[in-house]
Amino acid sequence: MGHIFIFLIGFGLAVTGGVTLIAYMNFLPAGVSWSEYFIFISGRLECYFLPIGLILMTFVIYTYPNRP
């Protein structure tokens, strides 16, 4: 039961981080270059939620396989 909870936490973090990255892409039409964009998001804490969430979900999926 705990692995489902960890998976859902990872999913929520991944969604939060992904939505934040997409929202910050609105800076690109305003004249910000891709390199400036990546420098900007590397300094934002909420952008790290996407990889952390993906790591949590991957860990749960491969650590707790389906049991019959």
Side-chain angles (χ1 to χ4, degrees):
M1 185 70 162
H3 58 279
I4 295 172
F5 182 69
I6 294 172
F7 180 83
L8 290 175
I9 296 236
F11 182 77
L13 288 174
V15 168
T16 303
V19 168
T20 302
L21 287 175
I22 292 170
Y24 284 144
M25 280 186 153
N26 286 325
F27 290 146
L28 294 174
V32 175
S33 68
W34 280 100
S35 60
E36 292 172 335
Y37 170 74
F38 288 121
I39 290 170
F40 176 75
I41 64 169
S42 67
R44 307 294 297 184
L45 176 66
E46 61 270 12
C47 293
Y48 289 109
F49 289 163
L50 176 65
I52 291 170
L54 292 175
I55 289 170
L56 279 174
M57 288 190 304
T58 304
F59 173 75
V60 169
I61 287 171
Y62 290 113
T63 305
Y64 300 102
N66 291 337
R67 297 182 182 140

